[in-house]
Amino acid sequence: MSVKQFRPGFDRGFHNLTFGLSMFVLLLLVAILAFLVMGSLPVLKSQGLSFFISSDWNPVTDVYGALPAIIQTLITAIIALVIGVPVSFGIAVFLTELAPVWVARPVGVAIEMLAAIPSIIYGMWGLFVFAPTFGTVIQRWTMANLAPIPVIGPVFASPPMGIGILTAGIILAIMIVPFITAMMRDVFTTVPAVLKESAYGLGCTRWEVVHRIVLPYCRAGTVGAVMLGLGRALGETMAVTFVIGNSHRLSASIMGPGATISSSIANEFVEADSKLHSSALVTLGLTLFVITFIVLAVARLFLLRLKKQSGH
Amino acid sequence: MSVQTPVKPTTERQVSSPYQRRMYLRRRIISTFHMAMSHVVTFLGVAVLAWILWSLFGQGFSALSIKLFTEMTPPPGSDGGLLNAIFGSLMMVGIATVLGIPIGLLVGTYLAEYGRYAKISAVVRFINDILLSAPSILIGLFVYELVVVPMGHFSGYAGAIALAVIALPVVVRTSEDMLLLVPDTLREAAAALGIPRWRVILQVSYRSAGPGLMTGALLAVARISGETAPLLFTSLNNQFWSTNMNQPMANLPVVIFNFAMSPYDDWRSLAWAGALLITLAVLGLTIAARTLLAAKSRMKG
């Protein structure tokens, strides 16, 4: 390359182009936030903060209360984590500590594949295959055996339709398991073999090695993975919309139908005729944005710490 | 669970003290229990996932026919296929790819090359990671306000833009990671020859990271081809054949959603067929991406 061909102008241009587009990424997030805030102004002006604490959602009278959707979003996500995290942890332990390579490899690949399957597939399966089974087998049983118990009974009381908040939580759990497992497995493999071998050398059992060596070593990464899973569960739309039943009502029962933030938006946004209705849905979206932003930011901070730790 | 007494190295004599033997037995039982649970949940997980695939393939294959690719989405009660939806999906994913991947690649280039140590890059990385996992329905709302409201109607372009916004952070992330894998000695060797930075990037970094960059692009396409939520109120749906991107456009995910939620059996079976098509496409792309990456690492190894 001769010196003549060196054109600093072009280099600066390319540099600025890549830099400008990077700023575009920042702008994108700011723009998303700005549009959501702008869209939610009408309903916030007309109803103020009562939007967030009222539980009355009625498009006919143009009154909107977001409390049921917000609470049920949190409940479905929590159900998903309560079921999904122990299962993911167990599978990750199986893949990294127990399984021989010829099992771990294909199971690992299968899990990565399943993490790639679009959520609408999980939703459809939930509606057509899981919900009927769940309604006839599990819900019958809970109706007969748990619902009559005095204090916790109402939590399980509902007609055995199969669809509802608990079903949505279970489908979400099934959906986030491959996702969390893949991340946990990657984190667990970063534990130096020497650490584990020394523990085994001292006479530790498998569980002691996992509990006392692997987990403490991977604390940041594990928490990060769980938080990313939570972020996914909170914002997931299609898997939930199919099976939650879409009813804006606060009820004590987790078996009954409900509505999450994302399922309300998916179900009602196109049909929202009044300005206030669509603004209320955008405000729900803004709420979801704020919640997931916090969760994802915490997740990233934990994962960042992991990166620094492994950088040493 | 905690082991109160420090356990001495296990020579025969020490373990045989009754207290220690009980202790050791307890620890082994706890361990065996947890490891058994680990096997059980793995089995459960794999079984549920197999159940999902089983029903998807069972229902999907029985609904597969050549008509899917030759006829339009039907009104309820009559025969039809998914041609307009398949075409719409291909168009939208195509345009989103053309929009999202070059921008993503260039941002990744900034993060890995020019701005690797810049303070602003840390911010961009953080924001990009947030975008990467932001709920896709919010992207739909955003594009609705940004494109659909000013235009006054739903359109295929709006859907494509929403998908591009979703693909962008995926490409940024993977292309930065892949470019960082290129050894700096290569860049330095090129720079020592007097080659300007942009040519080093184009001819050294891009070329040696090529398969990795392709992998990122394929993963991004896989990600957006199944996205449903952002299309619900950007491209909407269209029952008829339409090549006009400026109009509402049929696409597979939304057709699947509408048909699956309908009470008509023939619509539902079309939905299963569509779901199978999408899954096969996404799995195919993911496998292609993995194979590319594996081929690359073999080359290196």
Side-chain angles (χ1 to χ4, degrees):
Chain A
M1 222 49 58
S2 76
V3 181
K4 242 187 238 163
Q5 274 176 293
F6 185 81
R7 270 166 288 171
F10 197 94
D11 197 45
R12 192 167 308 139
F14 193 58
H15 186 158
N16 289 341
L17 175 69
T18 58
F19 177 74
L21 289 172
S22 303
M23 294 306 103
F24 174 72
V25 170
L26 298 188
L27 187 72
L28 205 56
L29 190 83
V30 176
I32 292 175
L33 188 61
F35 274 105
L36 289 178
V37 170
M38 247 162 52
S40 48
L41 283 181
V43 84
L44 289 182
K45 257 184 207 148
S46 89
Q47 287 182 227
L49 287 179
S50 76
F51 177 79
F52 296 105
I53 45 175
S54 150
S55 61
D56 184 23
W57 180 278
N58 194 340
V60 181
T61 54
D62 239 10
V63 174
Y64 303 97
L67 195 63
I70 293 172
I71 288 184
Q72 283 161 5
T73 302
L74 298 177
I75 292 178
T76 49
I78 289 169
I79 295 174
L81 283 193
V82 167
I83 301 172
V85 169
V87 172
S88 311
F89 176 70
I91 301 180
V93 169
F94 176 81
L95 290 178
T96 53
E97 305 293 327
L98 299 176
V101 178
W102 65 269
V103 177
R105 175 82 55 84
V107 173
V109 171
I111 280 174
E112 273 168 36
M113 293 283 140
L114 287 159
I117 287 186
S119 57
I120 190 170
I121 310 293
Y122 288 95
M124 247 184 108
W125 178 81
L127 177 66
F128 290 128
V129 182
F130 182 76
T133 318
F134 184 75
T136 50
V137 181
I138 312 272
Q139 269 187 319
R140 277 272 157 78
W141 183 85
T142 55
M143 274 301 287
N145 296 294
L146 296 180
I149 302 171
V151 181
I152 61 160
V155 175
F156 298 100
S158 104
M161 293 188 296
I163 57 174
I165 297 168
L166 182 60
T167 314
I170 294 173
I171 297 293
L172 278 179
I174 294 173
M175 216 194 81
I176 61 173
V177 159
F179 184 69
I180 300 183
T181 305
M183 280 189 297
M184 276 194 185
R185 187 201 53 186
D186 291 347
V187 176
F188 287 178
T189 49
T190 61
V191 181
V194 175
L195 277 186
K196 289 192 275 183
E197 282 158 9
S198 339
Y200 282 124
L202 289 173
C204 283
T205 59
R206 274 233 170 87
W207 168 246
E208 282 161 5
V209 170
V210 169
H211 185 215
R212 300 297 178 84
I213 308 292
V214 175
L215 261 190
Y217 189 88
C218 304
R219 196 178 298 129
T222 314
V223 175
V226 170
M227 294 300 266
L228 278 189
L230 175 62
R232 249 198 154 181
L234 285 168
E236 178 47 47
T237 309
M238 300 323 289
V240 173
T241 307
F242 273 103
V243 292
I244 198 159
N246 204 38
S247 128
H248 284 279
R249 204 168 44 85
L250 212 50
S251 83
S253 169
I254 57 166
M255 293 288 194
T260 65
I261 292 178
S262 50
S263 79
S264 315
I265 301 174
N267 268 319
E268 298 173 30
F269 195 75
V270 173
E271 275 109 48
D273 288 326
S274 85
K275 206 164 193 145
L276 225 48
H277 192 186
S278 54
S279 166
L281 291 168
V282 174
T283 315
L284 277 182
L286 179 66
T287 317
L288 179 64
F289 184 84
V290 172
I291 298 174
T292 48
F293 186 90
I294 294 169
V295 170
L296 295 175
V298 171
R300 290 299 169 191
L301 289 180
F302 271 102
L303 291 174
L304 218 61
R305 208 199 287 170
L306 172 82
K307 222 180 203 171
K308 273 195 194 129
Q309 174 192 339
S310 65
H312 275 297
Chain B
M1 209 95 41
S2 69
V3 184
Q4 262 84 23
T5 338
V7 179
K8 295 191 185 119
T10 53
T11 63
E12 238 1 90
R13 190 175 50 81
Q14 280 158 329
V15 168
S16 58
S17 121
Y19 172 73
Q20 284 187 342
R21 207 182 302 158
R22 248 199 341 268
M23 194 65 188
Y24 189 52
L25 188 67
R26 202 178 86 98
R27 288 169 52 204
R28 283 202 353 223
I29 290 174
I30 290 171
S31 179
T32 311
F33 169 75
H34 281 103
M35 294 307 123
M37 285 314 286
S38 171
H39 279 95
V40 169
V41 294
T42 307
F43 176 76
L44 267 180
V46 172
V48 166
L49 298 165
W51 188 11
I52 294 177
L53 290 181
W54 174 257
S55 14
L56 175 66
F57 283 94
Q59 303 265 15
F61 275 116
S62 64
L64 269 189
S65 78
I66 192 73
K67 276 189 188 153
L68 288 182
F69 308 98
T70 57
E71 290 184 23
M72 306 303 145
T73 48
S78 61
D79 247 13
L82 295 167
L83 178 61
N84 50 344
I86 295 171
F87 175 80
S89 270
L90 287 179
M91 286 297 286
M92 275 184 255
V93 170
I95 291 180
T97 309
V98 171
L99 282 176
I101 286 180
I103 299 180
L105 176 63
L106 289 173
V107 175
T109 307
Y110 179 78
L111 295 179
E113 303 273 351
Y114 288 113
R116 191 188 297 183
Y117 304 107
K119 285 225 172 66
I120 190 79
S121 297
V123 181
V124 173
R125 273 183 208 114
F126 186 75
I127 297 298
N128 188 66
D129 281 345
I130 298 279
L131 282 176
L132 188 64
S133 0
S136 56
I137 193 155
L138 296 182
I139 310 290
L141 278 182
F142 165 63
V143 174
Y144 175 86
E145 304 273 351
L146 182 77
V147 183
V148 177
V149 171
M151 279 172 73
H153 55 84
F154 300 100
S155 69
Y157 285 125
I161 290 171
L163 293 181
V165 173
I166 290 168
L168 176 69
V170 182
V171 182
V172 171
R173 185 64 189 275
T174 49
S175 46
E176 188 202 352
D177 287 349
M178 294 303 158
L179 287 172
L180 283 178
L181 289 179
V182 176
D184 274 341
T185 44
L186 279 184
R187 296 193 180 91
E188 285 157 10
L193 293 173
I195 304 174
R197 189 76 192 266
W198 65 275
R199 293 197 66 166
V200 175
I201 293 171
L202 290 185
Q203 296 190 319
V204 176
S205 301
Y206 281 0
R207 192 173 287 182
S208 59
L213 297 176
M214 265 311 278
T215 303
L218 287 176
L219 287 179
V221 176
R223 165 83 197 269
I224 59 176
S225 27
E227 279 293 349
T228 315
L231 294 177
L232 286 173
F233 27 83
T234 51
S235 91
L236 204 66
N237 198 355
N238 190 338
Q239 210 190 319
F240 306 104
W241 174 256
S242 162
T243 55
N244 185 355
M245 294 287 291
N246 207 11
Q247 288 299 320
M249 207 167 189
N251 57 85
L252 272 178
V254 175
V255 166
I256 294 173
F257 179 56
N258 290 339
F259 281 18
M261 293 294 248
S262 80
Y264 311 111
D265 279 340
D266 40 358
W267 272 17
R268 285 184 177 183
S269 98
L270 274 179
W272 278 112
L276 179 67
L277 288 183
I278 283 198
T279 309
L280 290 179
V282 170
L283 290 186
L285 284 164
T286 314
I287 290 169
R290 284 186 61 92
T291 322
L292 253 178
L293 211 58
K296 193 201 170 199
S297 57
R298 244 203 319 281
M299 227 159 60
K300 270 195 172 163

